[in-house]
Amino acid sequence: MVDFFKIFQLPQASTMAPKVDALYDFIHWVSVVSFVIIVGGMVYFIWKFRRRREGEPTPYITGHTPTELSVAGVLFIIVMVIFYWGWKDYSKIIQSSPNALEINVMARQWLWEFEYTNGRKIVNELVVPKGTPVRLIMGSADVLHSFYVPNFRLKQDVVPGAYTKLDFTATSVGEQQVFCAEYCGTAHSKMLAKLKVMEPKDYQRWQTTWEVEQSLGIQPAGAAETTAGQAPETVVENPVERGKKLFAEKGCTACHSVSGQVLVGPSLKEVFGHEVELADGSKVMADENYIRESLMEPQLKLVKGFPPVMPTYKGTLKDDEINALVTYIKSLRN
């Protein structure tokens, strides 16, 4: 019976898909059982307490406190089980593996840009290795979007002015469809991308071939067009190197060292991934969103012991430049 219903189920192509389906099946069957009990009880009461003849008063039904408390208790336990089950699975989505492959994602009306740590940048096509934890660090250049892969059972909003993250491990080689699940304008339905899953050795060969071609100054042979046929693969500078260059060009070196030396501002050496103590005594984790916020609103969370002299870079830095600076500062943690 259960296997019959799986005919209508989407393929399970990530480690999270079976977990999400298991919770969904549990809720589904609890709903079925509840429906049978409620409808069955309703029919029974209609028959049991019906008016049997003309002029006879309708039976008066009194409450039964032990039964009412028992039903409430059972329902409370079921809701708590669903809550704990959902939270446990959700925590696996938001907790990244320390060895995860990180890929920057930029959503625009109406395409997806994917940038790898080696500088490879692809539009509307994401390639990942099978069985390897992947972390997407996503931002939006315009409006609210939502990254959705049905066969992975994963969806994450992509918010302008902030970073959101999505972790997954693909389990099946092949192509998956990526949708935008948040209405984002007139061409929202065309904001599609392909997610290609390769065997690890094929993925490594795919990246190595590109890197060799770049070192020789060769454009990727027959660079594949995107699934939407809109734009080919583009070549960009390594984001760490680009961030390092921006760090100097934008004058960040005047106040921040990367060697541990304290200047006008705190050193950025190994700051990423650690807690920072603020002037008001509170602490904040130095992650992608904290760095972005410090660039846009530098007075909002002042680091303890340093004066409020940093200027804002709001309107000065493009999203790609912010991503590069974040990637560079992140690289200083090692």
Side-chain angles (χ1 to χ4, degrees):
M1 184 72 162
V2 175
D3 290 340
F4 171 76
F5 285 106
K6 289 189 181 301
I7 296 174
F8 305 100
Q9 208 171 54
L10 290 172
Q12 298 174 332
S14 77
T15 52
M16 281 308 301
K19 295 181 173 64
V20 174
D21 287 348
L23 177 56
Y24 176 84
D25 289 344
F26 176 76
I27 296 173
H28 172 80
W29 288 112
V30 166
S31 301
V32 170
V33 172
S34 300
F35 175 81
V36 171
I37 292 174
I38 291 171
V39 174
M42 184 175 66
V43 172
Y44 171 75
F45 275 80
I46 290 173
W47 176 83
K48 172 81 174 173
F49 299 101
R50 71 188 185 281
R51 179 183 292 178
R52 298 175 186 276
R53 60 184 64 87
E54 190 67 29
E56 182 184 60
T58 304
Y60 181 74
I61 305 173
T62 58
H64 191 265
T65 303
T67 301
E68 292 169 357
L69 291 177
S70 299
V71 171
V74 170
L75 293 177
F76 177 77
I77 291 172
I78 291 175
V79 170
M80 287 299 103
V81 167
I82 293 173
F83 172 78
Y84 175 73
W85 195 339
W87 170 251
K88 191 177 172 186
D89 286 344
Y90 177 70
S91 64
K92 292 174 183 173
I93 296 175
I94 61 175
Q95 288 178 358
S96 175
S97 166
N99 300 317
L101 170 65
E102 292 190 349
I103 301 172
N104 287 328
V105 181
M106 181 57 68
R108 304 179 190 276
Q109 290 177 318
W110 290 272
L111 55 84
W112 300 96
E113 287 181 356
F114 303 99
E115 184 178 30
Y116 295 82
T117 53
N118 61 1
R120 190 171 199 174
K121 202 169 185 178
I122 309 177
V123 176
N124 285 345
E125 184 176 282
L126 173 62
V127 182
V128 301
K130 174 187 170 186
T132 301
V134 176
R135 165 169 269 201
L136 302 182
I137 301 170
M138 304 187 287
S140 170
D142 36 56
V143 299
L144 182 64
H145 300 276
S146 188
F147 187 90
Y148 176 42
V149 187
N151 289 351
F152 282 6
R153 310 291 193 275
L154 292 174
K155 183 172 80 69
Q156 176 63 56
D157 286 350
V158 186
V159 184
Y163 291 106
T164 54
K165 301 163 189 172
L166 181 65
D167 290 83
F168 64 85
T169 301
T171 56
S172 301
V173 172
E175 284 191 2
Q176 307 298 336
Q177 184 67 57
V178 178
F179 296 93
C180 177
E182 188 72 39
Y183 181 72
C184 56
T186 53
H188 161 69
S189 62
K190 297 178 181 176
M191 191 168 170
L192 305 170
K194 287 292 183 186
L195 195 161
K196 292 185 176 179
V197 182
M198 295 180 173
E199 291 289 352
K201 62 178 186 305
D202 295 330
Y203 173 81
Q204 191 57 48
R205 185 183 307 118
W206 178 74
Q207 287 287 26
T208 302
T209 301
W210 180 84
E211 290 169 0
V212 170
E213 289 176 338
Q214 292 302 297
S215 65
L216 297 175
I218 303 172
Q219 291 294 323
E225 290 208 342
T226 66
T227 53
Q230 296 169 336
E233 182 174 335
T234 57
V235 179
V236 296
E237 190 178 6
N238 182 308
V240 175
E241 292 301 321
R242 192 164 75 253
K244 185 177 181 181
K245 193 182 297 182
L246 283 167
F247 193 75
E249 290 175 353
K250 299 299 180 183
C252 306
T253 50
C255 299
H256 299 282
S257 80
V258 296
S259 62
Q261 182 184 4
V262 176
L263 302 175
V264 178
S267 171
L268 300 183
K269 182 182 180 182
E270 298 181 351
V271 70
F272 189 88
H274 294 86
E275 283 191 337
V276 176
E277 186 173 1
L278 305 180
D280 62 2
S282 62
K283 293 184 178 180
V284 62
M285 178 61 69
D287 58 8
E288 292 89 350
N289 280 313
Y290 171 72
I291 295 173
R292 184 185 186 107
E293 186 179 63
S294 298
L295 289 166
M296 300 297 107
E297 303 285 350
Q299 316 305 328
L300 199 60
K301 293 177 181 173
L302 282 174
V303 178
K304 185 178 182 180
F306 294 93
V309 295
M310 180 170 166
T312 177
Y313 284 86
K314 187 182 290 183
T316 303
L317 293 173
K318 299 176 182 175
D319 284 309
D320 287 348
E321 293 175 324
I322 296 171
N323 286 346
L325 282 168
V326 170
T327 305
Y328 172 59
I329 294 171
K330 193 186 299 184
S331 73
L332 301 175
R333 59 184 167 182
N334 299 321

